[in-house]
Amino acid sequence: MNVLIINAGSSSLKYQLMDPETGAVSAKGLCERIYIDGRLTHNANGKKVVKDIPMPTHSEAIAAVLAILVDPVDGVIKSTDEIDAVGHRVLHGGMKFSDSCIIDDACIKAIEECIPLGPLHNPANLMGIRACQAVMPNTPQVAVFDTAFHMTMPPKAYRYAIPTEYYENDDIRRYGFHGTSHKYVTKRAIELMGRKDMKLINCHLGNGSSLSAVKDGKCQDTSMGLSPLAGVPMGTRSGDIDACVVQFIMNKYGMTADECLTMLNKKSGMLALSGVSSDFRDIEQEADKGNADCALALDKFAYEVRKYIGAYAAALGGLDCLVFTAGVGENSASMRARICEGLEFLGVKLDPEKNQTRGKEAVISTDDSKVTVWVIPTNEELMIAQDTAALVNAAKAGK
Ligand code: ADP
């Protein structure tokens, strides 16, 4: 089976052609500068091709992707009929989606209704969906939501302590993001541990970072909120912050709410604290050379992640398994060590040698550690492909 995975942004579109059973990726690439001019970067058959192709809308971008997938030289399939299904990454499913869903008119309408909750991403995701429908009307399509995995949270975790009308009238609550990644690593942790009945904390630490508390395979809490701004500090996002800081800055500097939020989303976090970069590799390098601001940024990040781990262990009533994933979680032994330092009281004991692992599935705790600590590389695309295949196959079987 071939599933085409689409992640459409406002001016870009990433794609992969994947076999959901083996996870083998036969082609992947990126359309950039949509609405500006258009550039396609395509990786297949062991080579990279870059082409300037006019992309006045997402439709031309999708058409360019399909054209190169069937190209006699750079392509990997003979005809677009060989694409069995399309899986779309969609940012915000609001309260309407607790799972992936086959795209039909009702699904599109529901994604549209979630636009106020995901104003930047959902419109772009919809453009990707509509563009695919236009060029491949007979191919089944599935929407996979970044929020869906977290929909099992109980009200005490998802409700904000603000007047009820905002929840009842406006759906304002904690949703959480990176759900596809949290779902994937949860599934792998259950497979690797050989048990589902466990208390698990996932640390997705990348440019954007979030943690989730999971019991018996179901999400109980997560660090991001209504938007991805909440939780631990990130590459350029502040993470949790007292709302009065926003009021103070707006009043003193005459900023609008939007301007202030842009500052919190784009100019804060590790970038602001380090004064050097939003990229953890740069910050670690400068900290090693003695830059005190970079050292503080790393210390603050580790501290906040550690605090969330402590809070979630308390929320779950214990901890069996701790998982690190995404760019930093998979690759930075020093950050994992910093985070776990002081967590011995919870039964977390890292093995310094095993912790040197990078980018592959491995246990990094000692044999006598009460909590099993894992590095599990995330694979959101595989999760999207598997969800897509499962829904499409079930629909076919039901016919
Ligand atoms: P995104 O949220 O964009 O998907 P990623 O999950 O790819 O982000 O993570 C990107 C982050 O991972 C960057 O800050 C990068 O510096 C960091 N990273 C990648 N490799 C390493 C490494 N070897 N050591 C430290 N940080 C790393």
Side-chain angles (χ1 to χ4, degrees):
M1 189 173 190
N2 282 316
V3 175
L4 179 62
I5 301 148
I6 299 288
N7 184 357
S10 54
S11 68
S12 70
L13 184 149
K14 291 188 201 132
Y15 63 93
Q16 286 197 11
L17 191 66
M18 184 187 273
D19 177 341
E21 268 146 52
T22 62
V25 177
S26 48
K28 67 176 182 178
L30 167 71
C31 298
E32 290 169 287
R33 301 176 61 84
I34 306 172
Y35 297 98
I36 305 167
D37 37 28
R39 168 167 297 174
L40 172 75
T41 306
H42 176 77
N43 296 280
N45 310 316
K47 94 176 197 267
K48 177 170 150 181
V49 186
V50 181
K51 285 186 175 182
D52 288 330
I53 300 170
M55 296 174 187
T57 70
H58 280 74
S59 294
E60 290 78 13
I62 293 282
V65 170
L66 295 183
I68 201 146
L69 287 173
V70 301
D71 185 87
V73 180
D74 300 315
V76 290
I77 48 177
K78 290 202 179 67
S79 138
T80 52
D81 292 345
E82 290 175 46
I83 300 173
D84 300 289
V86 184
H88 293 269
R89 180 179 187 183
V90 180
L91 182 84
H92 220 304
M95 281 165 47
K96 297 174 197 299
F97 296 99
S98 54
D99 217 334
S100 306
C101 97
I102 298 235
I103 296 175
D104 55 15
D105 290 347
C107 170
I108 289 190
K109 187 163 171 282
I111 297 173
E112 276 171 351
E113 285 166 5
C114 294
I115 288 176
L117 298 170
L120 297 180
H121 292 84
N122 275 34
N125 301 150
L126 279 167
M127 282 190 271
I129 290 170
R130 292 206 171 99
C132 280
Q133 284 182 321
V135 289
M136 39 201 325
N138 300 319
T139 309
Q141 310 211 22
V142 168
V144 178
F145 299 91
D146 235 28
T147 48
F149 178 69
H150 305 302
M151 288 308 283
T152 48
M153 283 188 288
K156 66 184 173 194
Y158 72 66
R159 282 290 296 275
Y160 290 133
I162 60 172
T164 307
E165 65 213 57
Y166 299 114
Y167 171 67
E168 287 181 347
N169 300 340
D170 305 306
D171 293 351
I172 291 181
R173 47 162 279 178
R174 179 188 303 283
Y175 288 98
F177 298 86
H178 294 141
T180 312
S181 173
H182 288 284
K183 180 174 173 180
Y184 175 79
V185 296
T186 297
K187 182 169 172 268
R188 282 305 293 150
I190 289 169
E191 285 163 4
L192 292 162
M193 295 287 286
R195 56 184 279 216
K196 195 173 178 181
D197 62 328
M198 56 177 179
K199 293 160 182 160
L200 165 70
I201 296 176
N202 295 315
C203 308
H204 175 113
L205 311 178
N207 185 37
S209 293
S210 66
L211 286 88
S212 64
V214 177
K215 193 165 178 229
D216 303 336
K218 291 199 162 62
C219 181
Q220 304 298 315
D221 206 345
T222 190
S223 58
M224 285 178 166
L226 174 77
S227 84
L229 180 59
V232 296
M234 308 175 210
T236 62
R237 295 188 192 121
S238 62
D240 296 334
I241 193 160
D242 181 344
C244 283
V245 173
V246 177
Q247 182 198 34
F248 184 101
I249 292 174
M250 282 171 64
N251 286 344
K252 175 147 189 203
Y253 296 98
M255 277 161 97
T256 63
D258 284 3
E259 284 167 348
C260 201
L261 265 287
T262 301
M263 179 272 288
L264 294 175
N265 269 304
K266 302 237 154 91
K267 295 184 181 166
S268 300
M270 300 300 281
L271 174 66
L273 283 175
S274 72
V276 165
S277 170
S278 62
D279 191 293
F280 278 75
R281 276 165 299 199
D282 299 342
I283 302 170
E284 286 184 357
Q285 230 172 37
E286 290 305 309
D288 286 346
K289 287 189 212 153
N291 182 317
D293 293 336
C294 289
L296 171 67
L298 295 172
D299 210 23
K300 168 82 177 162
F301 181 78
Y303 177 69
E304 296 296 338
V305 173
R306 193 186 313 127
K307 269 177 30 181
Y308 262 100
I309 293 172
Y312 285 171
L316 292 169
L319 183 60
D320 299 304
C321 189
L322 178 66
V323 173
F324 287 101
T325 193
V328 178
E330 290 165 27
N331 295 298
S332 178
S334 63
M335 183 49 77
R336 291 190 301 253
R338 257 178 217 272
I339 290 168
C340 293
E341 213 179 270
L343 287 182
E344 292 79 8
F345 79 100
L346 272 182
V348 173
K349 222 163 132 187
L350 275 200
D351 181 319
E353 250 169 60
K354 290 183 188 165
N355 184 38
Q356 295 311 311
T357 191
R358 277 178 68 167
K360 57 176 199 293
E361 284 179 352
V363 171
I364 56 169
S365 46
T366 58
D367 292 342
D368 65 345
S369 177
K370 192 178 112 348
V371 176
T372 312
V373 187
W374 282 92
V375 168
I376 302 182
T378 194
N379 195 338
E380 292 166 85
E381 291 77 16
L382 179 57
M383 199 68 254
I384 293 173
Q386 287 177 347
D387 270 12
T388 301
L391 281 173
V392 169
N393 287 336
K396 268 189 208 151
K399 267 186 190 157

